[in-house]
Amino acid sequence: MSIVRSLLSRRAFTALGCAAVLATMTPGASLAQDVTIPIIVKDTTSFYWQIVLAGARAAGKDLGVNVPELGAQSESDINGQISILENAVAGSPAAVVISPTEFKALGKPVDEAAKSVPIIGIDSAADSKAFTSFLTTDNVQGGRIAADGLAAAIKAATGKEEGEIAIITSLPGVGSLDQRREGFLDQIKTKYPGFTVVADKYADGQATTGLNMMTDLITANPNLVGVFASNLIMAQGVGQAIAENKLGDKIKVIGFDSDEKTVGFLKEGVLAGLVVQDPYRMGYDGVKTALAVSKGEKVEAFVDTGANLVTKDNMADPKIDALLNPKI
């Protein structure tokens, strides 16, 4: 895509986001309640973020709150999200719920926004102390869970907790992804000394890049036994490479988050496991918390929304099934 086309697309989408906020704040609009709490996600096209939005939508319905559903169309569109945040705040909502795309870049915009309205953070952090409350998975612990899951899968296949492994992170500088990487590498180092990390890669947020990176790793590292793909997009790309090369029995992969494609890979044995968060709860409780804050109620500064390792063996459990098949 050309730079000009990208800028035009971004401006068009930002205008639509602003229009959505203004429409929902207009007296007489079909959904105009007394309280408006926009939610801003990283990527409105992603299944994961659609689950977050579904939770927020349900909270709006249950609590009688108008919840504009906003966000960029790619997790890499940092400037787009900043513009959407500024437009949302300009509409003087009761509060804003946001999942920052990038830790450093969203710090000052969140600081500035919080001067006007309460800001509730979900999923990923920003370089700001202005969040009234923050609801997220303990991503460091999520990385540890992934390390344990990968070690168990490799041991089940080879009888040993040893060999060459790799990690592929979707984007650099994203708080949640950096924390998952930190937890994974720390757990491997302290608990599984038999593993050697032969590759620690950063992608660009695109599944095709994850596919190409994994294909290159397969060629360059014939003794590779395991990979941690630290978000949904990378799990899709890495899984595709494993499927195309029919290496599910040899290279065990743990992904993060789920959608129809990755769950299919799990059922087929292409992926050994998925660390699954509770995005529906993040969306629902994010709006619920924002409403409480707008009423002057005291809320928790940090809330851990939890994570679970999903494997082919436990995916039919009712609790796990509810996470894999949320109501959207």
Side-chain angles (χ1 to χ4, degrees), residues 62 73 109 208 274 301:
D62 291 347
Q73 292 182 298
T208 51
L274 296 167

Side-chain angles (χ1 to χ4, degrees), residues 144 147-148 151 161 185-195:
R144 295 191 185 107
D148 289 341
E161 291 177 346
L185 293 174
D186 181 67
Q187 190 79 336
I188 292 296
K189 180 180 178 180
T190 59
K191 191 174 178 180
Y192 305 105
F195 290 118

Side-chain angles (χ1 to χ4, degrees), residues 39 41 44 46-62 67 69 279-285 287 326-328:
I39 181 168
V41 298
T44 57
S46 164
F47 182 70
Y48 176 85
W49 295 109
Q50 288 171 8
I51 298 171
V52 173
L53 293 176
R57 191 180 313 129
K61 183 177 180 181
D62 291 347
V67 183
E69 300 173 15
Y280 189 92
R281 179 185 172 191
M282 284 187 204
Y284 192 102
D285 285 1
V287 171
K327 298 176 180 178
I328 61 170

